[in-house]
Amino acid sequence: MARMIITDCDCFLPPVASSAHGRVVSAADIFGPATSATTTPDTAPVFLPAEGIAPWQTPAFEGTVVGICLLTLYLVHRYGSSIVQVFRVFSGQLSAEKAYTEQTLFFRQFLSLSALWAALLGGGLLIRLSGTFLPEDAVAWKDFSPTAVNLAVLAVPVIAGIVALYRRFVTRAAAALTRQEDFFSEYRFGGRLFLALGCCLLTPPFLVIALTRERWAEGLCYGIAGIVAALAAVYLAKSYRFFIGRNVSILRWILYLCAVEIFPISFFVLALTRNS
């Protein structure tokens, strides 16, 4: 009698018993009596996301570092004399009042570009130093996609630019309301000088820690944090002497610090803390 089922596994199958309706081969006949059939799940398989990357490991951060390096080389090449003048002011060889009254258009261009320099450098420092001082379990970077992390890196210099625009708007508004344009103009000039000095001092060590993955770079991060703290203390001291030297009360100086210096930074810090 002809066999009802012929497969490639006939050599492994037991003889098929004759039946009027034929015989259906089961899974036990093919794979053995200890096997059991499983059903295909109705839902699609869940793919686990890839391991996240930290902000200081993203292409956006690398692009920021390259931009800082190129901008620094350009400023040193084109505005080298202006950089020397900034150091002369803070070393006491040239008074800030004289530098303010004798500033040239070339020097103003350098101070304007220093604002862009400070925005990029400040964002890069914040991102890189967070890898040293931020606890490992503070932010789960693996929960974010690489695109989101790159966008966050690019948003940091933008936030720094927003803070700078806010400070300029508030100081101009205060100058217009109090009719003390010369006072606030000279104060802004001193702040821009200090910003340029900070960029000159912090750019070389930042490039070192940004381009190095060695263990000793972590120690350099603590040194950079100390320099930033020292610069902030010197800036507050100079700001205090500027206001007191022009017979402005300490209360108004504190109000200025709260409204112009502290408020925008604390606003973004509080927003990030709530979102996290």
Side-chain angles (χ1 to χ4, degrees):
M1 181 179 179
R3 303 183 67 174
M4 300 300 295
I5 297 176
I6 300 176
T7 66
D8 295 336
C9 299
D10 282 340
C11 56
F12 302 102
L13 295 177
V16 180
S18 301
S19 174
H21 303 288
R23 184 175 183 274
V24 179
V25 180
S26 63
D29 294 328
I30 300 176
F31 301 105
T35 59
S36 61
T38 59
T39 58
T40 305
D42 297 334
T43 59
V46 178
F47 296 97
L48 296 177
E51 187 70 18
I53 55 177
W56 51 91
Q57 299 172 342
T58 57
F61 179 74
E62 295 177 355
T64 302
V65 174
V66 172
I68 293 173
C69 184
L70 294 178
L71 182 59
T72 302
L73 293 176
Y74 172 76
L75 293 176
V76 171
H77 172 72
R78 183 172 176 80
Y79 299 96
S81 59
S82 299
I83 295 176
V84 173
Q85 186 172 350
V86 170
F87 279 97
R88 288 182 61 197
V89 171
F90 286 95
S91 63
Q93 301 178 11
L94 179 66
S95 64
E97 292 79 7
K98 185 176 181 180
Y100 172 72
T101 56
E102 297 179 357
Q103 60 177 320
T104 61
L105 179 61
F106 190 75
F107 191 68
R108 292 177 182 175
Q109 292 176 354
F110 166 72
L111 294 180
S112 299
L113 290 174
S114 296
L116 175 61
W117 191 10
L120 293 176
L121 181 61
L125 279 173
L126 182 62
I127 294 170
R128 182 60 185 87
L129 293 181
S130 64
T132 301
F133 297 100
L134 194 66
E136 295 182 357
D137 56 348
V139 180
W141 298 115
K142 63 182 179 180
D143 296 338
F144 299 92
S145 64
T147 302
V149 179
N150 280 279
L151 291 177
V153 172
L154 296 177
V156 175
V158 175
I159 292 175
I162 293 174
V163 171
L165 291 176
Y166 169 82
R167 294 178 71 255
R168 185 172 183 177
F169 172 78
V170 172
T171 53
R172 286 184 177 273
L177 292 175
T178 59
R179 297 181 180 180
Q180 295 180 353
E181 286 81 2
D182 294 337
F183 174 85
F184 285 98
S185 178
E186 188 176 352
Y187 184 82
R188 286 197 306 270
F189 176 78
R192 296 167 73 183
L193 281 178
F194 200 86
L195 204 63
L197 176 67
C199 291
C200 294
L201 294 178
L202 294 174
T203 297
F206 166 74
L207 293 178
V208 172
I209 64 174
L211 300 175
T212 305
R213 293 295 183 264
E214 301 294 336
R215 297 289 300 176
W216 57 265
E218 297 297 327
L220 187 57
C221 290
Y222 289 93
I224 293 176
I227 295 175
V228 172
L231 288 175
V234 173
Y235 174 75
L236 290 177
K238 287 185 173 295
S239 175
Y240 173 78
R241 288 198 296 266
F242 184 87
F243 275 77
I244 296 301
R246 286 152 182 81
N247 297 324
V248 179
S249 64
I250 299 178
L251 178 60
R252 292 185 179 181
W253 174 67
I254 295 176
L255 290 175
Y256 172 83
L257 290 180
C258 294
V260 180
E261 307 289 350
I262 300 176
F263 170 74
I265 298 176
S266 61
F267 173 80
F268 284 107
V269 171
L270 182 62
L272 293 175
T273 304
R274 287 186 175 180
N275 291 332
S276 60

